[in-house]
Amino acid sequence: MSWVHPAWLARLGRLERPGRPGRLGGDAGAVLRLDPGCGLGAEAYTISRAGGVTTVVAADEAGLMYGSFHALRLGDGDLAAETHAPAKARRVVQHWDNVFVHPVMGQVERGYSGGSVFWEDGALTGNLDRVGDYARLLASTGINLVSVNNVNVHAGEARLLTERIGEVAVLAERFRPYHIRVLLSVSFASPMVLGGLDTADPGDKRVRAWWAAAARRVYARIPDFGGFVVKADSEGQPGPYAYGRTHADGANMLAAALAPFGGEVYWRAFVYNHRQDWRDRSTDRARAAYEHFAPLDGQFADNVVVQVKHGPIDFQVREPVSPVLLGMPATRLAVELQATQEYTGQQRHLCYLPPLWTSVLSTVADHVDAVVTVSNVGEDAYWTGHPLAQANLYAAGRLAWDPALDPGAVLDEWISLTFPEAARETLHALMDRSWCVYEQYTAPLGVGFMVHPGDHYGPDVDGYEYSRWGTYHFADRDGVGVDRTRATGTGFTGQYPAPWRDEYESLATCPDELLLFFHHVPYRHVLRSGLTVIQHIYDTHFAGAAAVTAMRRRWAELAPELVGAELHERVRERLAEQERSAVEWRDQINTYFLRKSGVPDAHGRRIF
Ligand code: GCV
């Protein structure tokens, strides 16, 4: 039981197993009782505390481990017995780590925390102890599945499935003691790239046999292997469309190969035309995932989980919930969140994302079997490039375990576990509203994608406007936003069930924060808040940038010794960059819309 870290023994006292009561060391601050007959389900535990002794009871070792982590989170005082069980059996972190440094994307695609914890310049990391530490870290949050390579599977990375599977097995060994199973991203073209076949057609029995043999070899090395993650027919990755097959055909072929061993396929629904002509107004990227997948509802094998990004576009600061998550009742689904902050400040900006995530989970938690989060971890000494971005990772695990948790309470938990009490107020002041602040100074009212093309950092209002990526705002002299109504627009609102289809369709009921996602409106359109769209843009951009200045000042007032001088300095430097960037966002967005609309700021503030 290597999850019982030596440092815990002093705090966690005795370990009792059936017929083998025992004392592992230290003073008996806790009793961990493994009792297969206790009636609890897998991974669940009961925890109580009386007279200074904490007791954890579970039917399996995983439950005992999660209960032990809970014990470490407890404050002082007695606790009446509470039972905790995970809401979701699949709590996943996925890495976009390349094995070989990619000429454009680097070692970790969209990674902002240094190199990969798993791979280094083509080789397995030499620092396997850190992988073990990472496993314990993830387990302490509740994560139980991890994928170790990028969903964009390049030729070198494809070999992890075959000749380099031993390296994946080494990683799996480090995760196993923490009850975390490993997933591997695989290329749909593997039978050709690795197997020398002339096709990857799911209808070809040689292809099916190749996958069956590949899965057998994987399980011979990693008996508890979790399964495959697949990005197919998406942004250049190969997929079943090349053979006139559906995504269900493709996913089910892999599922059949994994089924004898209990493995699963995480098949991504991030499928859209990334070579769109910006002149073509009939194509709407928001519609794509639903159009590709909803007609296949009920056709996926039992061990396929269709993995859906939480919004219809791509991890923008504000999007509606993807209609795919509400429209495939006969399919096992996963919701995909992104901790790495590709479009939310790339860990140079402080942006605590769980308020966004819970706004999604409150709608979709009952519809999904798994919560998947794209990792924000790298080689950085703090694990995350922004030390306070650790809170996003922590919350990813905690919310996968219990999507109903309050994001503020989860943040408070993380702060208590990480910093002294005297720093708590400052951290809340900086972090509680940081997602809203980020939204204020960036793309307004759900319109999204006003970022610099390619690296996705900083403002570039028209950067994607005449591109092939399908992410447009359609600002002209009269107004802004994308008409996605059934009445006059792309019809995207029609992909939602009631009541959303009508709520989003009508200007009278569409929430302000999503207005420009669903409607093209004049600048003087009056929001439900009572402000015009143009005045809202000016006000929020001034307020957002000012809020960042206040955050920067507040941090400067915190005594460095409370959090450690190095960490204090790292956060100071990040906040300085966030302030610079927020001012740039404010001025570019405000100037752009003043020039387009000709409508002055009601408060006469400086716009360029
Ligand atoms: C891993 C976005 C990102 C890509 C990412 C892709 C995906 O388009 O910019 O870097 O690729 O999403 O989720 O597959």
Side-chain angles (χ1 to χ4, degrees), residues 219-235:
Y219 278 90
R221 301 296 297 268
I222 313 172
D224 58 351
F225 181 67
F228 298 146
V229 181
V230 189
K231 172 175 177 177
D233 289 316
S234 169
E235 298 184 335

Side-chain angles (χ1 to χ4, degrees), residues 12 14 27-32 48-56 77-79:
L12 290 179
R14 287 183 288 142
D27 296 330
V31 174
L32 310 179
S48 60
R49 185 193 276 159
V53 177
T54 307
T55 304
V56 178
D78 285 359
L79 179 75

Side-chain angles (χ1 to χ4, degrees), residues 77-397:
D78 285 359
L79 179 75
E82 287 178 354
T83 295
H84 294 266
K88 301 295 161 199
R90 289 157 192 82
R91 307 177 298 278
V92 191
V93 158
Q94 292 184 359
H95 281 252
W96 288 355
D97 297 17
N98 297 315
V99 176
F100 295 90
V101 176
H102 186 272
V104 180
M105 291 298 172
Q107 185 80 68
V108 181
E109 181 154 347
R110 311 303 180 186
Y112 313 106
S113 308
S116 163
V117 274
F118 304 132
W119 313 104
E120 195 187 335
D121 223 355
L124 180 66
T125 176
N127 194 352
L128 289 169
D129 287 347
R130 186 167 161 85
V131 176
D133 290 346
Y134 181 45
R136 191 169 66 249
L137 184 160
L138 287 183
S140 74
T141 73
I143 293 297
N144 67 357
L145 284 155
V146 64
S147 76
V148 296
N149 64 312
N150 190 0
V151 290
N152 289 326
V153 185
H154 312 290
E157 283 76 6
R159 300 193 134 55
L160 293 174
L161 175 62
T162 51
E163 70 225 44
R164 296 188 66 171
I165 192 65
E167 293 164 63
V168 182
V170 169
L171 295 175
E173 269 166 36
R174 296 289 172 147
F175 280 104
R176 190 167 299 120
Y178 298 94
H179 303 276
I180 296 175
R181 298 195 298 154
V182 161
L183 301 165
L184 189 66
S185 297
V186 296
S187 167
F188 189 79
S190 294
M192 301 166 77
V193 179
L194 306 172
L197 297 184
D198 55 2
T199 178
D201 183 354
D204 188 310
K205 65 177 192 292
R206 292 170 305 151
V207 172
R208 293 199 299 273
W210 189 90
W211 278 109
R216 237 187 346 265
R217 283 193 305 267
V218 170
Y219 278 90
R221 301 296 297 268
I222 313 172
D224 58 351
F225 181 67
F228 298 146
V229 181
V230 189
K231 172 175 177 177
D233 289 316
S234 169
E235 298 184 335
Q237 292 295 302
Y241 284 160
Y243 311 100
R245 310 288 176 186
T246 69
H247 281 269
D249 296 331
N252 291 347
M253 168 180 65
L254 301 188
L258 293 168
F261 311 99
E264 295 182 322
V265 182
Y266 290 77
W267 188 273
R268 297 178 85 228
F270 184 58
V271 177
Y272 69 99
N273 176 7
H274 69 290
R275 296 209 172 84
Q276 192 180 324
D277 183 342
W278 59 269
R279 300 166 193 84
D280 164 20
R281 296 295 292 263
S282 67
T283 305
D284 177 6
R285 173 166 163 180
R287 294 179 57 108
Y290 187 94
E291 282 173 348
H292 288 286
F293 282 85
L296 304 176
D297 190 29
Q299 294 181 30
F300 289 94
D302 289 346
N303 59 333
V304 174
V305 179
V306 173
Q307 182 176 313
V308 187
K309 288 192 181 186
H310 67 77
I313 301 282
D314 195 3
F315 299 134
Q316 299 304 290
V317 67
R318 182 78 73 164
E319 291 186 45
V321 164
S322 168
V324 181
L325 292 165
L326 305 167
M328 297 188 70
T331 302
R332 292 178 60 211
L333 297 171
V335 59
E336 186 179 325
L337 312 171
Q338 198 202 41
T340 192
Q341 292 181 242
E342 176 180 357
Y343 297 99
T344 48
Q346 304 192 350
Q347 299 191 49
R348 283 181 257 183
H349 297 219
L350 178 54
C351 187
Y352 179 62
L353 289 164
L356 158 63
W357 295 343
T358 52
S359 75
V360 173
L361 291 169
S362 62
T363 305
V364 307
D366 292 343
H367 301 257
V368 300
D369 269 15
V371 178
V372 173
T373 304
V374 180
S375 170
N376 57 357
V377 160
E379 269 186 316
D380 196 286
Y382 297 107
W383 297 100
T384 51
H386 197 307
L388 305 183
Q390 284 178 11
N392 286 331
L393 182 70
Y394 181 76

Side-chain angles (χ1 to χ4, degrees), residues 494-577:
Q495 292 185 344
Y496 286 90
W500 295 282
R501 53 188 289 116
D502 299 321
E503 186 183 324
Y504 294 148
E505 174 80 8
S506 159
L507 270 177
T509 52
C510 184
D512 282 352
E513 66 271 15
L514 288 171
L515 185 74
L516 303 183
F517 192 94
F518 286 106
H519 296 272
H520 185 88
V521 295
Y523 293 112
R524 293 186 196 271
H525 171 82
V526 178
L527 294 165
R528 295 166 79 192
S529 70
L531 288 173
T532 61
V533 165
I534 191 72
Q535 196 56 44
H536 172 97
I537 292 175
Y538 297 148
D539 286 357
T540 51
H541 284 77
F542 282 114
V548 177
T549 299
M551 287 158 67
R552 198 234 329 127
R553 289 192 180 135
R554 181 80 193 244
W555 184 254
E557 285 163 12
L558 184 76
E561 55 275 18
L562 274 180
V563 294
E566 271 178 40
L567 184 143
H568 192 278
E569 173 55 19
R570 173 82 74 92
V571 174
R572 187 204 62 74
E573 161 252 307
R574 302 264 143 165
L575 284 167
E577 164 56 17

Side-chain angles (χ1 to χ4, degrees), residues 475-497:
D476 56 26
R477 65 179 183 179
D478 300 318
V480 57
V482 191
D483 184 353
R484 293 192 160 108
T485 63
R486 305 191 285 290
T488 52
T490 69
F492 171 67
T493 58
Q495 292 185 344
Y496 286 90

